[in-house]
Amino acid sequence: MKYKETKPISKKGKKFFGFLTIFIFAFLVVMFSFLFSPLLSVNYFDFLSTTKSNEKTFHFVLSMAGTSEADAQSFAQDIYIRGGAGVVIKEDEIFYVIMSAYKTDKDAEKVISSLDQNEYRLSIKEVTANLNISKSLTKEEQSLANKSFNFLLETIDNLYNLSTTLDSGKILKSDANLKAKSLFLELSYLENEFQSLQSTKIKPMHLVVISALSLVEYLASEDAMNTTLLPYSAIVRRTFTRMIMLCEDIKI
């Protein structure tokens, strides 16, 4: 019988076909990601596209103020007059008043142990100031964002120390006010850098800087220094407490 000799398909050919199929599939996945991610408002490969900048943890000493916002605001004003931060926050339908912020849990615990728990119903809330930066930003944008965040952390630290020295009587109110004026000028220069760069990508960081600038502007004002209604240390304390809240989980 006559027959034609045939050759089996080699395994190498099968392997090549398999690799080609995987490559085409991966290419299509990437293409669909790029095409449809903007429509879904999703950043491409978001889990790989951000990097964390410096971060710092603070500890708020809270006093429970109940379910009435009006009562909480009244209580906060009383705390403010006594020298505390007096900032109201709400969690799970309950209002709390921030007495102050501390660098360590140990310092916060010391304050709690020195106060009447029955009067204030105290607790500690841990807050982390952090900045998440998209890798898609230019070097200039990343540099300004990092510079701003680190400066805000330094400002919080400076104001924290300033409130402590004011409470201990180691610095005059007028000298503390001069330090606040210096911080205001530095923040103003920083805000001008955002104006010059005019980048919409780092707008969230710009807005934080503007808010911080507003807080320090009041602290540096003559009205704040000359008021007889409040201890100047209380205004300092409220300022850095609110700045910590501004710096919590910034994403750009």
Side-chain angles (χ1 to χ4, degrees), residues 12-238:
K12 288 184 179 179
K14 288 183 178 180
K15 286 183 179 179
F16 176 79
F17 182 77
F19 285 135
L20 182 62
T21 303
I22 293 170
F23 176 80
I24 293 172
F25 177 77
F27 178 78
L28 290 173
V29 169
V30 171
M31 287 300 296
F32 277 108
S33 297
F34 274 82
L35 287 171
F36 293 106
S37 288
L39 298 176
L40 299 173
S41 300
V42 177
N43 291 325
Y44 310 127
F45 310 109
D46 190 57
F47 62 98
L48 294 174
S49 66
T50 61
T51 181
K52 274 198 173 182
S53 179
N54 192 14
E55 65 176 36
K56 196 166 187 177
T57 300
F58 299 91
H59 300 82
F60 289 167
V61 171
L62 306 179
S63 180
M64 187 185 293
T67 56
S68 168
E69 184 175 3
D71 289 346
Q73 292 292 350
S74 178
F75 179 50
Q77 188 63 22
D78 183 54
I79 294 297
Y80 195 28
I81 291 170
R82 295 192 205 182
V87 177
V88 176
I89 61 173
K90 185 181 182 182
E91 292 187 351
D92 299 325
E93 304 304 317
I94 303 294
F95 290 97
Y96 297 85
V97 175
I98 303 174
M99 311 282 279
S100 190
Y102 297 91
K103 295 179 182 180
T104 67
D105 184 62
K106 187 177 179 180
D107 289 338
E109 289 285 0
K110 281 182 181 178
V111 172
I112 286 182
S113 63
S114 68
L115 296 172
D116 187 348
Q117 273 281 10
N118 293 324
E119 181 183 358
Y120 292 108
R121 292 176 293 174
L122 300 170
S123 60
I124 297 174
K125 176 181 173 64
E126 187 177 286
V127 176
T128 302
N130 57 70
L131 172 64
N132 295 286
I133 299 179
S134 170
K135 292 180 181 177
S136 66
L137 298 180
T138 65
K139 287 185 178 180
E140 191 175 10
E141 290 168 336
Q142 290 186 35
S143 176
L144 182 54
N146 276 309
K147 176 183 176 180
S148 302
F149 184 73
N150 290 330
F151 181 74
L152 290 174
L153 290 183
E154 289 173 12
T155 301
I156 290 167
D157 193 54
N158 287 332
L159 292 177
Y160 179 90
N161 294 333
L162 190 61
S163 69
T164 303
T165 52
L166 276 166
D167 286 335
S168 64
K170 294 179 180 178
I171 188 174
L172 296 173
K173 184 165 65 171
S174 56
D175 292 331
N177 184 255
L178 286 174
K179 289 182 181 292
K181 282 180 167 60
S182 177
L183 288 172
F184 174 71
L185 284 175
E186 290 183 74
L187 271 169
S188 298
Y189 294 143
L190 188 62
E191 201 276 324
N192 285 335
E193 289 189 48
F194 282 92
Q195 297 283 2
S196 299
L197 188 58
Q198 292 188 340
S199 169
T200 57
K201 291 182 180 179
I202 55 174
K203 187 176 180 180
M205 188 75 249
H206 188 191
L207 293 175
V208 169
V209 170
I210 290 173
S211 298
L213 182 64
S214 178
L215 291 172
V216 177
E217 182 178 21
Y218 176 70
L219 179 64
S221 69
E222 297 299 316
D223 288 343
M225 186 181 70
N226 295 326
T227 181
T228 56
L229 299 174
L230 297 164
Y232 192 61
S233 61
I235 304 174
V236 176
R237 194 165 283 112
R238 174 175 281 194

